[in-house]
Amino acid sequence: LEDMTDDELEEICTSRGFELVREVDPDTGEPMMYTHKDYVDAASECLQIEADLEEILETHPEILEDVKKESERMMNERNKLMGQLNEQQQQQQQGA
């Protein structure tokens, strides 16, 4: 990790769905500057979180199944609500 660029290290996290939060200096309001070691530490932490999650899912595969079911339920609810919204917008346009 040490030999990678800061951008490559950040990509390790962002490609796994993590976001590096840019802290702001409370005194100046300016974004804090990060060192290369900060990026190495962040990438290492992202890789460790990913490994921990993989281990949990291997040990408890039912968790992934529950997440899939909940995701499907949420998508169905979203589609239903989007349909209702579209319906209401059409009614408003016809009434205008």
Side-chain angles (χ1 to χ4, degrees):
L1 294 177
E2 291 286 340
D3 294 335
M4 298 175 79
T5 67
D6 293 349
D7 287 339
E8 290 171 328
L9 293 166
E10 186 170 352
E11 177 65 18
I12 286 174
C13 291
T14 57
S15 67
R16 287 162 173 79
F18 299 109
E19 180 182 346
L20 297 182
V21 177
R22 307 286 180 205
E23 295 182 45
V24 176
D25 185 317
D27 297 327
T28 65
E30 296 292 318
M32 295 181 77
M33 298 301 295
Y34 295 108
T35 65
H36 184 68
K37 182 178 179 342
D38 292 330
Y39 282 96
V40 169
D41 291 346
S44 178
E45 193 170 320
C46 291
L47 292 171
Q48 185 59 54
I49 291 169
E50 180 183 50
D52 292 346
L53 286 172
E54 285 178 12
E55 183 180 335
I56 289 168
L57 291 175
E58 285 176 15
T59 307
H60 302 285
E62 70 278 4
I63 292 174
L64 184 57
E65 201 54 44
D66 290 345
V67 169
K68 286 180 183 177
K69 286 178 185 175
E70 181 63 13
S71 175
E72 286 177 22
R73 186 194 68 74
M74 291 174 70
M75 288 301 292
N76 289 336
E77 182 69 16
R78 176 190 170 276
N79 291 338
K80 180 178 129 186
L81 292 172
M82 290 298 292
Q84 290 174 352
L85 177 63
N86 289 337
E87 213 174 278
Q88 288 177 357
Q89 288 175 337
Q90 287 176 353
Q91 288 174 357
Q92 285 179 343
Q93 289 173 353
Q94 290 173 354

